[in-house]
Amino acid sequence: MSFRKVVRQSKFRHVFGQPVKNDQCYEDIRVSRVTWDSTFCAVNPKFLAVIVEASGGGAFLVLPLSKTGRIDKAYPTVCGHTGPVLDIDWCPHNDEVIASGSEDCTVMVWQIPENGLTSPLTEPVAVLEGHTKRVGIVTWHPTARNVLLSAGCDNVVLIWNVGTAEELYRLDGLHPDLIYNVSWNRNGSLFCSACKDKSVRIIDPRRGTLVAEREKAHEGARPMRAIFLADGKVFTTGFSRMSERQLALWDPENLEEPMALQELDSSNGALLPFYDPDTGVVYVCGKGDSSIRYFEVTDEPPYIHFLNTFTSKEPQRGMGSMPKRGLEVSKCEIARFYKLHERKCEPIVMTVPRKSDLFQDDLYPDTAGPEAALEAEEWVSGQDASPILISLREAYVPSKQRDLKVSRRNVLSDSRPATAPSSARPGASTSAASIHTTVPSGSLAGATEAGKLEEVMQELRALRALVKEQGERIGRLEEQLGRMENGDA
């Protein structure tokens, strides 16, 4: 007699959350007490940024990830705003550039020194002034370099070219009330927003037009959130008329009825969703909750599948999520959250239990890398491009970051000084440097072109050496695996 399997099979069913040990936390951080439903935290593979209490202005802390333990009260902050900071967001294309929005009605863009701050940072590389009320939302374009979106309590959405510090688009008639959040789609051609009038809107920023709108996506009066998923669907969190917290999934082609609607509980904290486009898992963190729930979103009904809940004792004041390229692939880590307590930040690692030490292809498909797919002008001219993907199979080594320079003339270009043809670029291996290439003297317009060509050749040599080294490593691993399978080892 055969029994039908009732439990749905999923490789993420047994994902478990694990807080790190105390010595790996960031202690003695005075997390901001501002009453704003922001995450208060932003993280990338190099730095952790947390909005902190500051007297006489607004400030946030930027720590290298390795600087765990107790943080000195005198540790330098980024403190150029004259009012409290409400939101921060790391640039996806440069791990040393961060944007901040503040109650002083400005957006500021900062270049963090490569090794972190040694003195307070008061001079931003760009000040973006255009809002008439406090700026509560800043979010970078996912694929176009230097394109930043900001939304303020003046119900206006502005899109900036940070490279020239100029306003590209002003969308001021689309939201009649306070904007709760904004989320770009995968290629940055559209964004969706959740508003205090209970509507979810899908907007084309370049045309300034409303593509789709759903009134009363959630009946309750408390704050909602809406995010785009990788396949173009929209995931929302909100409250029912009876103040029960809800999740919903919507098809932008037909917003009449949700594809799925789930009620969670009757708590009153706003639900902050974090989405992983590679695995299709949505993590939902409630402000003031002490738990993180996670769900898998799939193509088959009921579409939103509950996976599990991570529970701890302390309520969370805010939450940051590490991009995929900052995770430890060797430990089958599929997400890492940075949970803010009142006085500390605690990393929480989400892991899929696997016995094998080999690279898990199914957990780590190619993910969005740090290279921009478009320049700002290309995006403005109407082009769209999906993120440039990278593989996490090998220990990922980030490319050298270039400094953000703001020019009133043109967009940020690669402003590294041209390398003299004779000097070897740091990072090129000695074995690769022994390959010589001759450049015909009359073929270049000047020394700058020669320097750029030499730099490209150096990178090519380093790449060849890396490929050769990895080929040998793969050969050794295959030989070792063969011996183990034959029982020789």
Side-chain angles (χ1 to χ4, degrees):
M1 187 177 173
S2 65
F3 289 96
R4 194 168 69 84
K5 283 186 178 172
V6 181
V7 179
R8 179 179 158 271
Q9 289 301 310
S10 167
K11 53 181 172 263
F12 304 112
R13 232 181 87 211
H14 300 292
V15 168
F16 66 96
Q18 184 88 38
V20 300
K21 294 192 173 103
N22 270 342
D23 60 344
Q24 294 299 304
C25 294
Y26 305 84
E27 303 273 355
D28 223 14
I29 295 173
R30 292 175 301 145
V31 177
S32 173
R33 296 175 178 276
V34 168
T35 53
W36 182 253
D37 280 325
S38 147
T39 58
F40 290 150
C41 180
V43 63
N44 70 17
K46 288 183 80 170
F47 296 110
L48 165 70
V50 180
I51 302 174
V52 292
E53 283 286 287
S55 51
F60 58 96
L61 204 57
V62 175
L63 302 169
L65 287 186
S66 57
K67 187 166 176 59
T68 52
R70 188 178 166 279
I71 307 301
D72 195 329
K73 280 190 173 62
Y75 194 86
T77 57
V78 180
C79 50
H81 285 287
T82 56
V85 177
L86 300 180
D87 197 18
I88 47 178
D89 193 31
W90 286 106
C91 176
H93 308 126
N94 188 331
D95 288 343
E96 291 158 14
V97 171
I98 189 169
S100 57
S102 164
E103 278 193 12
D104 64 11
C105 309
T106 64
V107 177
M108 293 186 180
V109 181
W110 310 84
Q111 176 99 33
I112 305 299
E114 195 173 342
N115 298 316
L117 297 178
T118 51
S119 59
L121 185 58
T122 56
E123 289 299 317
V125 285
V127 180
L128 310 175
E129 296 176 320
H131 288 284
T132 55
K133 291 189 179 176
R134 60 185 187 164
V135 183
I137 298 164
V138 288
T139 177
W140 292 89
H141 192 283
T143 59
R145 194 190 314 282
N146 296 336
V147 176
L148 178 70
L149 179 151
S150 64
C153 294
D154 49 8
N155 310 336
V156 174
V157 175
L158 294 178
I159 294 171
W160 308 87
N161 180 345
V162 175
T164 57
E166 65 183 336
E167 191 181 295
L168 295 175
Y169 301 103
R170 172 179 284 266
L171 310 173
D172 57 0
L174 297 173
H175 296 91
D177 212 330
L178 182 69
I179 302 165
Y180 286 137
N181 91 304
V182 172
S183 168
W184 291 99
N185 68 351
R186 183 82 164 147
N187 66 1
S189 58
L190 304 169
F191 67 80
C192 67
S193 65
C195 181
K196 195 174 181 179
D197 68 352
K198 303 182 187 175
S199 288
V200 169
R201 295 174 174 83
I202 297 174
I203 293 165
D204 183 332
R206 288 170 294 195
R207 291 197 177 94
T209 55
L210 197 61
V211 176
E213 180 179 7
R214 165 68 194 187
E215 295 177 5
K216 294 195 174 176
H218 295 275
E219 297 271 351
R222 292 178 186 277
M224 299 193 309
R225 285 281 188 284
I227 56 170
F228 260 117
L229 304 186
D231 59 2
K233 294 188 176 63
V234 174
F235 182 91
T236 61
T237 64
F239 292 82
S240 70
R241 191 178 286 153
M242 305 300 292
S243 287
E244 289 174 312
R245 298 197 289 191
Q246 295 177 322
L247 313 174
L249 185 66
W250 306 85
D251 182 353
E253 302 295 319
N254 176 19
L255 290 174
E256 290 301 311
E257 288 296 321
M259 294 171 65
L261 181 67
Q262 285 191 20
E263 294 200 340
L264 292 186
D265 55 25
S266 300
S267 189
N268 59 5
L271 290 169
L272 309 175
F274 294 91
Y275 174 60
D276 179 356
D278 303 334
T279 58
V281 177
V282 177
Y283 302 85
V284 178
C285 313
K287 270 229 161 162
D289 286 10
S290 52
S291 62
I292 301 171
R293 294 181 179 88
Y294 33 108
F295 302 82
E296 189 174 1
V297 181
T298 64
D299 293 332
E300 73 265 4
Y303 304 111
I304 301 174
H305 307 275
F306 174 72
L307 291 171
N308 212 333
T309 304
F310 164 80
T311 314
S312 56
K313 292 175 184 170
E314 296 282 324
Q316 53 231 16
R317 297 280 299 277
M319 192 73 77
S321 172
M322 174 65 81
K324 214 51 177 292
R325 57 195 174 88
L327 302 180
E328 288 199 46
V329 178
S330 56
K331 294 182 179 172
C332 294
E333 182 183 358
I334 61 162
R336 191 188 312 149
F337 292 98
Y338 286 75
K339 173 180 169 177
L340 299 183
H341 301 240
E342 202 167 328
R343 301 284 299 190
K344 77 169 181 178
C345 176
E346 175 186 47
I348 294 164
V349 175
M350 296 287 180
T351 311
V352 177
R354 295 270 170 104
K355 287 184 178 174
S356 171
D357 290 338
L358 298 175
F359 179 74
Q360 307 293 315
D361 294 88
D362 58 333
L363 298 183
Y364 301 105
D366 289 358
T367 190
E371 197 53 49
L374 294 171
E375 295 297 330
E377 290 96 346
E378 294 174 320
W379 182 73
V380 170
S381 71
Q383 292 184 45
D384 289 319
S386 295
I388 295 175
L389 304 181
I390 57 169
S391 170
L392 299 176
R393 179 176 285 276
E394 298 304 332
Y396 174 61
V397 182
S399 56
K400 182 159 171 43
Q401 303 292 349
R402 40 195 187 169
D403 287 355
L404 178 69
K405 287 192 168 50
V406 174
S407 110
R408 295 284 168 190
R409 253 179 334 104
N410 67 349
V411 82
L412 174 71
S413 59
D414 197 341
S415 51
R416 288 179 293 197
T419 317
S422 59
S423 66
R425 188 170 166 271
S429 65
T430 48
S431 60
S434 61
I435 308 167
H436 292 289
T437 309
T438 54
V439 181
S441 56
S443 64
L444 296 175
T448 311
E449 283 82 353
K452 281 185 181 174
L453 184 62
E454 179 62 25
E455 194 173 331
V456 171
M457 294 309 299
Q458 293 281 14
E459 285 188 12
L460 192 59
R461 292 168 200 152
L463 201 57
R464 278 182 189 158
L466 186 64
V467 168
K468 185 181 173 190
E469 186 186 318
Q470 297 299 349
E472 289 169 358
R473 181 168 175 241
I474 289 166
R476 287 198 302 275
L477 286 170
E478 283 175 347
E479 190 181 323
Q480 195 177 342
L481 190 62
R483 285 207 306 273
M484 286 170 74
E485 284 173 350
N486 294 333
D488 298 342

